[in-house]
Amino acid sequence: MHLLWTLIVGAVIGMIAGAITNKGNSMGWIANIVAGLVGSFIGEKLLGSWGPHVADMAIVPSIIGAVILVAIVSFFFGRARD
């Protein structure tokens, strides 16, 4: 059950990061989950594990990490052209 919650929270974090960077329309649900999970890992490694936690992910650092990840990936691959 914890894995399901982790995937759901990762998807929500990825969707939030896509909305903040205006790249959310071009990302599919799998990309949102990956961006949320990898962004959570990056954010917690760079910024620590502070703030509210859901499914063992610190929400604020996770969103910041996911925004950084989406911005870097969209810069290099340029898949989303707005």
Side-chain angles (χ1 to χ4, degrees), residues 23-80:
K23 305 296 182 197
N25 293 337
S26 64
M27 294 175 29
W29 60 275
I30 293 176
N32 280 333
I33 292 172
V34 171
L37 295 176
V38 174
S40 175
F41 177 77
I42 291 170
E44 288 185 16
K45 291 298 176 190
L46 292 176
L47 303 172
S49 181
W50 51 274
H53 285 71
V54 177
D56 292 335
M57 288 186 234
I59 299 300
V60 176
S62 296
I63 292 172
I64 294 170
V67 166
I68 292 169
L69 177 70
V70 169
I72 290 172
V73 169
S74 66
F75 176 77
F76 282 112
F77 293 104
R79 182 175 162 203

